[in-house]
Amino acid sequence: MAMEADNQIRDAQRVAWAGLSAGWEKWDSIIMDQLGPIGEAMIERLEIADDQQHLDIAAGTGEPGLTVARLAPRGHVVLTDLAPEMLDIATRRATAQGITNFETKVCAADDLPFGDATFDSISVRFGYMFFPDVAKATAEFARVLKPGGRLCSSVWVKPEKNPWTTIAMQTIATEAVLAPPDPDGPSMYRCAAPRYVSALYEAAGLRDVAEWNVDVELVTRSPAQYWEMISEHVSLAVAALQQVDEPARERIANAVIAKVSVYEDGGKVRVPGMACCILGTR
Ligand SMILES: C[S@@+](CC[C@H](N)C(=O)[O-])C[C@H]1O[C@@H](n2cnc3c(N)ncnc32)[C@H](O)[C@@H]1O
């Protein structure tokens, strides 16, 4: 029964991310600039050696795994994700950057096709919230890490600290009835509670577990560009917008554009957010 439910979640996620992939590719440079400080914070604590064997889980369009590949010219990186469409973008990004010491593998985070003690390090940037069974996934990460190997992930903290999504979501909620997310089902803020991921690490036997918050900033050219990119790549917003008709969508767009204007600064729109990084050692 539980397995059936898990399969349904995975299938729904695969479909959802196949649909979101075009938005992620279109808005790649803005998204990567926004999420870059999180990737940097994670990589710093993973202490990448030049021959590192690294696994990136829910790698999507390739980060932070491709940056690790650049830092480990004699090493190797495996980018994994449930959605082949996202990994295809990762491959195009790698080709454009001249990165060759990597491979991609389509697989689910809680069922990894790798032997025990294979990797020196694992990254999971904004993946945890979408896994059907977060405990099983964490046990898989611990299994494929070498003793002494490190795991670092990141998740969004509570919506109140992330106006870059709440501005849009609160406005969409004026036109659509948004059901509260299932606390145990996939959604962007599912892992926001302090120590949610730390407790999973500890239950999987990882040691020296630490978590810390990192600020981000979403920077767009204009309020209109902010709305365009949010409505084309943010999982929560894209799902909610499927419930409204064209006139309502137009009203939402106008209201969001007016609201986000308060973040205009020096010819750009800069909307803040905050994520939590979680480190552990096998
Ligand atoms: C927000 S994106 C993160 C992409 C990338 N790590 C980044 O930070 O730019 C989330 C990714 O999780 C993937 N995903 C969702 N459920 C998954 C699962 N059960 N196993 C592996 N990946 C999954 C999605 O396909 C999507 O590419």
Side-chain angles (χ1 to χ4, degrees):
M1 206 47 207
M3 255 177 70
E4 188 50 37
D6 286 2
N7 285 336
Q8 280 175 10
I9 289 175
R10 270 188 291 271
D11 289 347
Q13 285 294 311
R14 201 178 285 113
V15 171
W17 287 97
L20 292 166
S21 62
W24 275 69
E25 188 159 35
K26 176 174 173 187
W27 299 107
D28 180 61
S29 70
I30 294 178
I31 299 170
M32 291 303 125
D33 284 351
Q34 180 197 16
L35 306 183
I38 309 291
E40 279 166 31
M42 292 168 65
I43 287 172
E44 193 190 326
R45 301 290 278 270
L46 288 174
E47 297 186 354
I48 305 299
D50 77 337
D51 61 350
Q52 195 87 359
Q53 299 297 315
H54 181 79
L55 173 62
D56 194 12
I57 298 281
T61 59
E63 287 297 332
L66 292 176
T67 299
V68 172
R70 264 203 312 272
L71 294 171
R74 295 195 303 117
H76 189 74
V77 172
V78 184
L79 306 175
T80 66
D81 199 280
L82 204 51
E85 294 82 357
M86 294 293 274
L87 289 178
D88 289 347
I89 301 170
T91 300
R92 290 196 281 279
R93 293 180 73 251
T95 304
Q97 295 174 45
I99 298 169
T100 54
N101 55 332
F102 78 101
E103 66 189 281
T104 61
K105 180 94 197 154
V106 174
C107 61
D110 54 13
D111 185 15
L112 298 176
F114 309 111
D116 298 356
T118 302
F119 296 99
D120 298 311
S121 52
I122 301 179
S123 52
V124 195
R125 190 174 82 173
F126 302 120
Y128 250 99
M129 45 284 250
F130 305 113
F131 305 153
D133 189 334
V134 287
K136 195 169 161 212
T138 314
E140 276 293 83
F141 306 158
R143 180 183 69 76
V144 302
L145 266 184
K146 294 178 189 170
R150 292 185 180 191
L151 167 65
C152 196
S153 27
S154 61
V155 296
W156 295 109
V157 305
K158 58 187 178 182
E160 293 79 356
K161 295 276 188 196
N162 284 290
W164 72 278
T165 63
T166 46
I167 287 181
M169 294 312 297
Q170 284 167 357
T171 311
I172 296 171
T174 64
E175 298 277 356
V177 182
L178 304 181
D182 171 357
D184 297 320
S187 82
M188 209 170 151
Y189 293 106
R190 171 197 190 185
C191 305
R195 293 204 44 82
Y196 179 102
V197 178
S198 289
L200 293 168
Y201 280 27
E202 284 161 1
L206 298 179
R207 60 181 166 85
D208 301 332
V209 175
E211 62 177 55
W212 70 102
N213 291 342
V214 179
D215 291 317
V216 300
E217 194 174 53
L218 173 62
V219 183
T220 58
R221 218 179 337 102
S222 63
Q225 190 186 49
Y226 163 85
W227 171 245
E228 213 187 319
M229 65 101 57
I230 292 292
S231 63
E232 289 178 4
H233 92 286
V234 175
S235 55
L236 272 179
V238 172
L241 284 169
Q242 281 163 0
Q243 300 181 39
V244 305
D245 61 13
E246 203 42 48
R249 198 185 160 101
E250 186 83 24
R251 288 192 295 275
I252 293 167
N254 292 334
V256 169
I257 288 167
K259 273 195 209 167
V260 85
S261 301
V262 301
Y263 291 99
E264 275 188 298
D265 175 23
K268 301 263 191 199
V269 177
R270 300 171 184 279
V271 196
M274 188 185 281
C276 178
C277 296
I278 309 95
L279 180 72
T281 301
R282 157 96 198 265

